[in-house]
């Protein structure tokens, strides 16, 4: 066993090139924007993934399509059934297909192999469509995947959609765009017959642990038709006719705003941005939709009724959690910044304050909003890494970290509670019931007696 | 390759891969060197996905730096990014060693990493720089296990020096669990001969709580020990398909004349006997009584449980070396591993298995390399095994076909404690045996109309 390590975490300095992406809200702090939307600094252990990841995340829940990752095996292997997006029917999205390029393919090109793979897979699985993701290597060797897709689409009579998601050609956000481009090719192809005037599409809701079903039910109770949930529990046919809806309701602003904007341009469908996390934002997302249909006051009435009933149902439990959690401090580091806003509000509902707020992909406006929202003393970070995150968690004495799989062990190692707010979660956190689960999970982790043994609590010898 | 009773049709795409990519193995091996940071030369995504994947099994922070290619890098080469990345990671992590592995991307654009490193050293001045290990790991030429061995060999190539022989042993234990590593270290200690085990991630990937964030977790094989490996008395290397020309022990034998003793992973009594016999020979000491006891208990358990497992059929999958050794163990207890499958493609699997299981063909045991889970599942439908043995990736197949899955190896991300599972030696075999017997008993108990309470 080694002797005591030199404990110098808290004395670390930020890397040159990262200082501008970290901001502490204090009285004397300089004004100006937080640097963001940059590619990650080389050698900084960024928590971000790549363009491909962005595309895969968005399109993943389309359950009746096959998703084929064109490239060497890794990218496909690491994304095999990794997310908690569930389907009410077909489950093709949970399979992992790859052209698994070998050395000779890299040298001579992988188009033939892709073509053959596509034909065989389509014959075997009879999907409604196929998405072909090009990964780093493909961008390099220059396979013409568009041509292959076109050819196969013609032969097989289903949409075969290229997703240009070479990992190095930008950030995760560019992957969202590539996914939206692919979806845009589908939209407008189906019949809009039978679509009511009081109808919406739900965008950027991925049906993790069935969240889209919860949200959909609220809207349907309000008397609104939901045409497509893009892409939670997604179906190709729904997407194809989604241009018939009256309004796009966009959650997770980072991923699908592009699509909403394009649909507005092309089909004149307006969009609103919402969030389904926390009582406050969830209620607002129902009201905002209701407001869009002023000629039908019954919709608003129904929305109010839902909010009232739901909150009433969970209120007593929530008070219990709040009593225990009041005064505790949380750190947030998630993918999109929009989610951070909701989380701050949700945490305030249960009496907690936020001491660190960060995201992988926030933009200037997001960080401006964050600055305004956050309390004095809060640290705001863009594209952070484990060393920085742990430094702030310890410095600010956070009791809880909210993040994803890669952040989880950081929290646990340091004896800090954790709540998973990423794409792999198996418990729904959206909607009113989701807020209850969220509070419960936070409570169960923060209040667990196991932390007494953590070194920072003086527990372990 | 055997094709008897096969339902397999040639297919082009890989469906649900039974392998991972090369740099993952390299990063894992680098995690087993003291004060070493793994660094992937390529795009950010690969590093992040690999981290995420390793974290889900080990449940420990795993920091892997990346040179984070962008479009320009891909066109003009990764030299600038690599140098900047090394500088940053050195500043932030203060490593003594940086383990650099390439990804498909940097390999394909043809970055000459050793050249870049030379350049970097010239610019930075050699004195205070961490030592750099370099492993070339394009994924389109192998799988994670190949990356693992390449990294181990590179580490030895980087550090080992020759010189006067020392009374010391090298053990290259392959891709095994942290618990297995701890057990092997305990055995070697009991034999009383100094040793070097590489890689040793028993603490770095299965350690205690921290008061502060450890940029590099404590533990790992000390580089001074790796340096000594060139003057060791002998090397033991586990891995049936690991050839001398690709292995660390092979390098030491060729370069410094350190004799290489290669053997399968010691799973089962026969293989473990062989391991202990080798240790007795090399250390000139008898097997410590403690292990005699462990062996006796295991033989006793084999007797107590033999009827439950005799003639049961299993499908076995995972890394080739693990599959080969597990198959030999299963034969020892009377289980027939009707299909032994791997996503790896050494071309050696069947040959090695025949050495351990001479009646392989009569038993109609199928050995398949380069397969994926769709292939395995198709076979399962025909072969109708009693249970599956392999990593978590077989869960979907097990659920769909109502086959019990006994989890071993890597990755185990749908159960708790995968990193603490024993597979090796008498103790590991004991655990595996108990689990297999209990799986059969549980099945019988649950499907019995009476639901008996004694076995
Ligand atoms: S590009 Fe290569 S190294 Fe990167 S994830 Fe894909 S297979 Fe692995
Ligand atoms: S960076 Fe490129 S190779 Fe790596 S995971 Fe992303 S797409 Fe795949």
């Amino acid at each position: 066993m080694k002797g005591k390590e030199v404990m110098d975490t808290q004395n670390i300095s930020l890397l040159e090139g990262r200082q501008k992406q970290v901001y502490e809200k204090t009285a004397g702090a300089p004004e100006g924007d937080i640097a963001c939307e940059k590619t990650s600094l080389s050698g900084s252990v960024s928590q971000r993934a790549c363009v491909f990841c962005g595309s895969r995340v968005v399109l993943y829940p389309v359950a009746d399509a096959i998703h084929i990752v064109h490239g060497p095996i890794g990218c496909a292997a690491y994304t095999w059934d990794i997310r908690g997006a569930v389907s009410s029917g077909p489950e093709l999205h949970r399979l992992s297909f790859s052209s698994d390029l070998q050395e000779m393919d890299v040298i001579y090109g992988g188009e033939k192999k892709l073509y053959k793979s596509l034909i065989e897979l389509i014959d075997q699985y009879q999907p409604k469509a196929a998405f072909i993701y090009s990964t780093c290597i493909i961008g390099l060797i220059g396979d013409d995947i568009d041509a292959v897709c076109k050819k196969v689409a013609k032969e097989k009579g289903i949409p075969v959609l290229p997703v240009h998601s070479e990992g190095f050609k930008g950030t995760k956000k560019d992957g969202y765009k590539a996914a939206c481009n692919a979806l845009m090719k589908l939209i407008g192809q189906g019949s809009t017959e039978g679509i009511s005037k009081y109808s919406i599409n739900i965008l950027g809701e991925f049906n993790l642990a069935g969240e889209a079903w919860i949200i959909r039910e609220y809207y349907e109770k309000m008397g609104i038709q939901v045409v497509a949930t893009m892409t939670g529990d997604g179906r190709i046919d729904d997407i194809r006719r989604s241009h018939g809806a009256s309004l796009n309701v966009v959650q997770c602003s980072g991923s699908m705003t592009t699509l909403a904007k394009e649909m507005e341009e092309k089909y004149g469908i307006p969009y609103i941005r919402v969030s389904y996390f926390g009582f406050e934002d969830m209620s607002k997302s129902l009201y905002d939709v209701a407001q869009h249909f002023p000629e039908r006051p019954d919709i608003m009435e129904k929305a109010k009724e839902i909010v009232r009933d739901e909150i009433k149902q969970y209120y007593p439990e929530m008070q219990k959690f709040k009593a225990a959690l009041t005064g505790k401090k949380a750190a947030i580091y998630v993918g999109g910044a929009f989610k951070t806003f909701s989380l701050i509000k949700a945490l305030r509902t249960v009496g907690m304050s936020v001491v660190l707020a960060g995201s992988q992909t926030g933009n200037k406006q997001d960080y401006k909003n964050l600055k305004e929202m956050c309390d004095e003393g809060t640290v705001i970070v863009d594209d952070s890494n484990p060393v920085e995150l742990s430094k702030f968690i310890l410095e600010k004495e956070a009791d809880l970290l909210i993040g994803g799989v890669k952040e989880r062990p950081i929290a646990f190692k340091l004896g800090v509670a954790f709540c998973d707010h990423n794409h792999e979660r198996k418990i729904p956190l959206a909607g009113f019931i989701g807020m209850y689960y969220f509070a419960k999970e936070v409570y169960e982790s923060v209040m667990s007696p196991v932390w007494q043994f953590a070194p920072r609590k003086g527990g372990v010898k | 390759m055997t094709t008897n009773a096969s339902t397999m049709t040639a297919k082009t795409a890989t469906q649900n891969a039974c392998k991972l990519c090369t740099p993952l193995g390299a990063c894992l091996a680098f995690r087993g060197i003291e004060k070493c940071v793994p660094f992937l030369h390529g795009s950010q995504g690969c590093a992040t996905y690999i981290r995420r994947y390793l974290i889900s099994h080990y449940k420990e922070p795993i920091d892997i730096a990346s040179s984070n290619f962008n479009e320009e890098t891909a066109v003009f080469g990764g030299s600038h990014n690599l140098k900047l990345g090394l500088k940053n990671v050195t500043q932030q992590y203060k490593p003594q060693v940086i383990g650099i592995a390439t990804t498909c991307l940097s390999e394909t654009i043809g970055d000459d990493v050793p050249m870049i490193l030379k350049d970097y050293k010239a610019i930075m001045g050699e004195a205070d720089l961490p030592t750099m290990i370099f492993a070339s790991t394009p994924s389109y030429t192998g799988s994670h296990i190949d990356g693992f061995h390449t990294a181990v060999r590179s580490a030895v190539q980087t550090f080992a020096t020759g010189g006067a022989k020392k009374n010391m042993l090298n053990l290259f234990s392959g891709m095994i669990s942290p618990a297995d590593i701890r057990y092997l270290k305990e055995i070697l200690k009991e034999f009383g001969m100094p040793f070097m085990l590489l890689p040793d991630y028993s603490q770095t990937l299965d350690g205690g709580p921290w008061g502060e964030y450890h940029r590099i977790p404590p533990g790992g094989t000390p580089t001074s020990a790796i340096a000594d490996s060139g003057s060791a008395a002998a090397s033991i290397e586990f891995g049936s398909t690991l050839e001398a020309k690709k292995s660390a022990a092979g390098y030491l034998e060729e370069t410094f004349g350190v004799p290489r003793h290669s053997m399968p992973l010691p799973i089962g009594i026969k293989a473990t006997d062989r391991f202990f016999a080798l240790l007795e020979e090399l250390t000139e000491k008898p097997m410590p009584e403690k292990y005699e006891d462990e062996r006796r208990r295991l033989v006793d358990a084999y007797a107590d449980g033999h009827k439950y497992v005799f003639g049961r059929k299993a499908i076995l999958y995972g890394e080739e070396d693990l599959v080969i050794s597990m198959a030999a163990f299963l034969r020892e207890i009377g289980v027939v591993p009707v299909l032994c499958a791997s996503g790896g493609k050494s071309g050696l699997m069947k040959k090695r298995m025949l050495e351990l299981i001479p009646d392989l063909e009569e038993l109609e045991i199928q050995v398949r390399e380069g397969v994926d889970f769709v292939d395995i599942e198709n076979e399962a439908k025909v072969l109708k095994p009693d249970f599956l043995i392999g990593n978590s990736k077989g869960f979907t197949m097990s659920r769909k076909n109502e086959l019990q899955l006994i989890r071993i190896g890597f990755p185990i991300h749908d159960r708790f404690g995968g990193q603490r599972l024993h597979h090796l030696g008498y103790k590991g075999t004991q655990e595996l045996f108990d689990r297999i017997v209990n799986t059969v008993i549980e099945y019988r108990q649950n499907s019995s109309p009476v639901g008996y309470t004694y076995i």
Side-chain angles (χ1 to χ4, degrees), chain A residues 52 56 67-73 75-76 79 96-100 114 131-135:
Chain A
F52 164 68
R56 193 78 177 92
H67 301 260
I68 303 168
V69 184
H70 188 31
I73 197 66
C75 327
T79 49
S96 167
F97 301 124
S98 168
S99 52
D100 191 358
L114 176 63
F131 292 102
I132 319 306
Y133 304 78
S134 56
T135 59

Side-chain angles (χ1 to χ4, degrees), chain A residues 50 52 75 135-136 165-167, chain B residues 43-46 49:
Chain A
C50 58
F52 164 68
C75 327
T135 59
C136 283
S165 52
E166 291 88 348
Chain B
S43 324
Q44 178 65 52
C46 314
Y49 275 131

Side-chain angles (χ1 to χ4, degrees), chain A residues 2 7-9 12 15 40 42-43 46-48 53 78 96 98 100 120-121 125 137 390 413 424, chain B residues 12 14-16 19 21 34 48-49 51-52 60 66-68 81 88 92 108 207-208 210 212-213 215:
Chain A
K2 294 275 125 27
M7 305 271 191
D8 60 348
T9 309
I12 61 150
L15 285 174
S40 302
S42 177
S46 171
Q47 304 291 85
R48 276 184 187 165
C53 174
Y78 300 132
S96 167
S98 168
D100 191 358
E120 286 172 16
L121 290 171
Y125 293 94
I137 284 283
S390 53
K413 269 290 166 201
E424 296 177 39
Chain B
T12 312
T14 297
Q15 308 183 18
N16 301 341
K19 62 177 174 183
C21 77
E34 193 176 52
T48 307
Y49 275 131
R51 286 176 64 204
R52 186 225 151 264
E60 295 274 339
S66 154
S67 50
N68 194 22
N81 277 43
N88 280 333
Q92 190 147 36
T108 308
W210 299 345
E212 303 274 328
Y213 193 73
R215 279 163 264 193

Side-chain angles (χ1 to χ4, degrees), chain A residues 72-75 78 136-137, chain B residues 21-23 46 50 102-105 137 139:
Chain A
I73 197 66
C75 327
Y78 300 132
C136 283
I137 284 283
Chain B
C21 77
T22 327
C46 314
I50 288 171
T102 43
T103 67
C104 304
L105 190 58
T137 48
S139 193

Side-chain angles (χ1 to χ4, degrees), chain A residues 371-436:
Chain A
K371 265 190 187 176
E372 269 164 38
M373 257 184 104
C374 286
D375 299 328
E376 197 73 356
T378 304
V379 174
I380 300 169
V381 285
D382 176 60
D383 185 21
S384 200
N385 55 48
V387 174
E388 285 175 15
L389 289 175
S390 53
K391 169 186 157 79
F392 297 127
I393 288 169
L394 292 174
E395 257 176 31
K396 299 285 171 189
E397 300 183 317
D399 301 289
L400 169 77
L401 172 65
I402 298 180
V405 188
K406 294 187 300 294
E407 287 78 33
R408 185 197 297 140
I410 301 174
F412 290 168
K413 269 290 166 201
L414 298 174
V416 171
F418 182 81
C419 174
D420 196 335
H421 216 289
N422 217 324
H423 292 292
E424 296 177 39
R425 61 176 183 266
K426 307 291 181 284
I427 299 171
L429 301 181
F432 298 98
I433 185 173
M435 178 60 201
Y436 164 74

